[in-house]
């Protein structure tokens, strides 16, 4: 049986993270893109991570950060998945991802033919 997995993204505090888990979210997203109003520093993000039950995956959202910085944040927070939203190439995504973690690449859809280019 297949089911849709649900991720609440842009979580900024422990209360919202716990509420997302209580509502059945499979994952929560934490933003590490400084221009975003939902951006978190790794220390605050790690506190949110610790407050979540083990069955809720924690996804880190990144935009064009250097691979060493992404790896440092992933380790400090304890991320389960990395989600890239910038102009990262596949090689940059792979270089940013610590061994054992998965990564996703967001696809920007502005025009109908954008999907064919990705």
């Amino acid at each position: 049986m297949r089911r849709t997995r649900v991720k609440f993204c842009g979580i900024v505090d422990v209360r919202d993270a716990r509420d997302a888990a209580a509502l059945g979210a499979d994952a929560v997203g934490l933003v590490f893109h400084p221009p975003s109003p939902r951006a978190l520093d790794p220390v605050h993000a790690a506190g949110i991570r610790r407050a979540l039950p083990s069955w809720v995956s924690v996804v880190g959202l990144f935009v064009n950060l250097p691979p060493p910085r992404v790896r440092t944040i992933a380790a400090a927070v304890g991320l389960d998945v990395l989600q890239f939203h910038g102009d990262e190439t596949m090689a940059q995504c792979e270089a940013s991802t610590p061994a054992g973690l998965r990564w996703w690449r967001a696809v920007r859809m502005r025009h109908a033919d954008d999907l064919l280019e990705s």
Side-chain angles (χ1 to χ4, degrees):
M1 176 179 221
R2 296 175 68 144
R3 76 175 187 88
T4 301
R5 291 181 40 94
V6 175
K7 177 179 72 123
F8 288 23
C9 200
I11 298 295
V12 295
D13 62 45
V14 168
R15 188 189 74 230
D16 289 344
R18 287 183 178 151
D19 286 348
L23 290 168
D26 298 292
V28 297
L30 306 178
V31 177
F32 299 99
H33 180 55
S36 170
R38 297 192 171 275
L40 298 172
D41 66 78
V43 172
H44 185 88
I48 293 171
R49 172 59 165 140
R50 286 189 301 273
L52 286 166
S54 61
W55 62 85
V56 176
S57 297
V58 179
V59 180
L61 186 150
F62 299 92
V63 180
N64 299 328
L65 280 183
R69 182 70 179 134
V70 175
R71 290 191 307 270
T72 297
I73 292 170
V77 176
L79 297 175
D80 298 305
V81 179
L82 307 182
Q83 182 174 337
F84 297 99
H85 275 264
D87 300 310
E88 301 90 352
T89 64
M90 181 180 288
Q92 289 169 318
C93 293
E94 289 173 351
S96 298
T97 305
L101 288 188
R102 295 173 294 143
W103 60 270
W104 304 327
R105 180 72 178 82
V107 177
R108 292 187 200 120
M109 296 296 299
R110 293 188 182 105
H111 305 285
D113 58 347
D114 284 349
L115 188 57
L116 298 176
E117 295 176 17
S118 299

